[in-house]
């Protein structure tokens, strides 16, 4: 909360529902266990085609891109945040992925990752000793800016459905895909305005970060107005919560952001007059 931060990139998102079907009706595990492969085990095996389950590395090459040098330079400010790793709600003793703040930021902003966000498993309290007919998992894949999400969707379908183990039935139903966005390099007048505003409000120059989430209309705006400059910022930070009752906002930081944006609006007017 001690300087202005710009969001210079947003990840894209794709995903879908993977279904692995092994039986036409559920059967007692005491009768068919060891004979009929469990659909959950097959699902785990298939997911290993797109993610290294030991490291979390995503394995679809079409989902990667180069990080711009200017972005790398601006993101070095992440290493100046002392409590970055402590800002996540991990259980006691839990560590993050290895690396310094910059490496973790790059992993979150500029690299793909897979998350299983849903399944059709029965509730633990109601689960019985049954080999179920099928396993379904809903997959969410975050994609770096510059990656065509529709291409990744097509590749996911090919990789997940090909060569089904044991000749079981495997289907992947992709959801609509949204590509990410990266801001163009700042024009000199805008960079100077942001630096002056941040120095005046916080006593430090501005810094840049990315966001691992998605705002699809930003990519649409970037395509519609390729020459436009973007200032994407906000008041959220460590310990804030966009979905909390009062969002746990840092009031002095919010006031500083307001001053910075007012400075940009004024300088934009002056720049256009010139």
């Amino acid at each position: 909360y001690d300087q202005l931060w710009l969001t210079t990139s947003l990840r894209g998102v794709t995903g879908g529902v993977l279904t692995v079907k092994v039986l036409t009706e559920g059967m007692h595990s005491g009768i068919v266990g060891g004979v009929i492969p469990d659909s959950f085990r097959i699902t785990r095996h298939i997911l290993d085609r797109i993610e290294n389950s030991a490291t979390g590395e995503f394995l679809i090459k079409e989902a990667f891109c180069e990080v711009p040098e200017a972005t790398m330079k601006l993101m070095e400010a992440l290493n100046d945040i002392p409590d970055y790793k402590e800002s996540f709600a991990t259980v006691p003793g839990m560590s993050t992925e290895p690396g310094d703040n910059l490496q973790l930021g790059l992993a979150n902003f500029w690299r793909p990752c897979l998350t299983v966000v849903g399944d059709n498993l029965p509730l633990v309290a109601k689960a019985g000793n049954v080999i179920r007919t099928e396993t379904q998992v809903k997959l969410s894949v975050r994609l770096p800016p510059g990656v065509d999400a529709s291409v990744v969707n097509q590749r996911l379908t090919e990789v997940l459905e090909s060569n089904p183990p044991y000749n079981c039935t495997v289907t992947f139903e992709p959801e609509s895909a949204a590509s990410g966005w990266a801001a163009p390099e700042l024009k000199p007048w805008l960079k100077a305005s942001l630096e002056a505003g941040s120095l005046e409000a916080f006593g430090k120059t501005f810094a840049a970060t990315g966001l691992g989430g998605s705002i699809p209309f930003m990519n649409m705006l970037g395509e519609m107005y390729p020459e436009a400059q973007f200032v994407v910022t906000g008041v959220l930070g460590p310990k804030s919560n966009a979905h909390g009752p009062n969002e746990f906002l840092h009031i002095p930081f919010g006031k500083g952001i307001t001053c910075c944006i007012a400075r940009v609006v004024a300088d934009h007017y002056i720049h256009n007059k010139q």
Side-chain angles (χ1 to χ4, degrees):
Y1 294 115
D2 57 358
Q3 65 195 124
L4 172 67
W5 287 88
L6 297 188
T7 297
T8 56
S9 65
L10 296 160
R11 283 196 295 188
V13 65
T14 187
V17 177
L18 173 66
T19 303
V20 176
K21 190 175 182 67
V22 297
L23 292 169
T24 58
E25 59 184 75
M27 300 186 70
H28 197 287
S29 62
I31 304 299
V32 300
V35 177
I36 301 299
D38 179 49
S39 61
F40 184 79
R41 176 171 67 84
I42 297 175
T43 301
R44 286 189 298 160
H45 177 63
I46 291 175
L47 289 179
D48 281 341
R49 298 176 180 178
I50 63 172
E51 181 196 55
N52 184 325
S53 57
T55 66
E57 178 188 4
F58 199 65
L59 303 178
I60 303 296
K61 66 179 182 178
E62 290 85 354
F64 288 83
C65 72
E66 293 293 327
V67 183
E69 185 176 340
T71 298
M72 288 284 290
K73 183 74 174 175
L74 286 170
M75 284 181 57
E76 289 175 359
L78 288 173
N79 280 332
D80 296 331
I81 304 176
D83 56 352
Y84 178 70
K85 294 182 180 181
E86 287 71 40
S87 64
F88 305 102
T90 53
V91 297
M94 170 78 180
S95 67
T96 65
E97 296 285 359
D100 60 17
N101 292 357
L102 175 58
Q103 291 171 313
L104 293 176
L106 289 172
N108 185 235
F109 313 147
W110 284 90
R111 291 180 191 141
C113 73
L114 168 69
T115 304
V116 177
V117 296
D119 60 59
N120 69 335
L121 295 172
L123 296 174
V124 171
K126 297 183 178 181
N129 295 319
V130 174
I131 301 290
R132 297 170 301 106
T133 58
E134 66 181 26
T135 291
Q136 282 188 323
V137 289
K138 185 172 183 178
L139 309 180
S140 173
V141 180
R142 295 289 180 177
L143 299 170
V147 169
D148 189 330
S150 62
V151 172
V152 176
N153 241 359
Q154 180 179 351
R155 186 66 181 135
L156 280 172
T157 303
E158 294 170 355
V159 172
L160 292 171
E161 291 187 349
S162 65
N163 301 316
Y166 305 99
N167 275 333
C168 65
T169 301
V170 177
T171 58
F172 179 67
E173 300 176 21
E175 296 182 337
S176 59
S179 297
W181 166 84
E185 191 168 352
L186 295 172
K187 299 289 187 182
W189 76 265
L190 181 54
K191 184 177 181 181
S193 178
L194 291 167
E195 287 176 344
S198 187
L199 284 168
E200 183 177 0
F202 301 104
K204 292 179 66 175
T205 188
F206 77 96
T209 183
L211 183 65
S214 305
I215 306 178
F217 74 80
M218 287 305 303
N219 186 56
M220 295 169 57
L221 287 174
E223 292 178 346
M224 291 174 63
Y225 306 103
E227 300 301 319
Q229 291 280 280
F230 291 87
V231 176
V232 181
T233 188
V235 295
L236 296 182
K239 306 300 182 183
S240 62
N241 185 350
H243 301 293
N246 61 2
E247 298 191 339
F248 305 105
L249 298 181
H250 191 283
I251 301 301
F253 183 64
K255 292 179 178 179
I257 292 288
T258 303
C259 291
C260 293
I261 296 302
R263 177 64 178 260
V264 169
V265 172
D267 288 343
H268 179 263
Y269 173 77
I270 295 171
H271 175 73
N272 280 350
K273 282 190 68 176
Q274 295 173 346

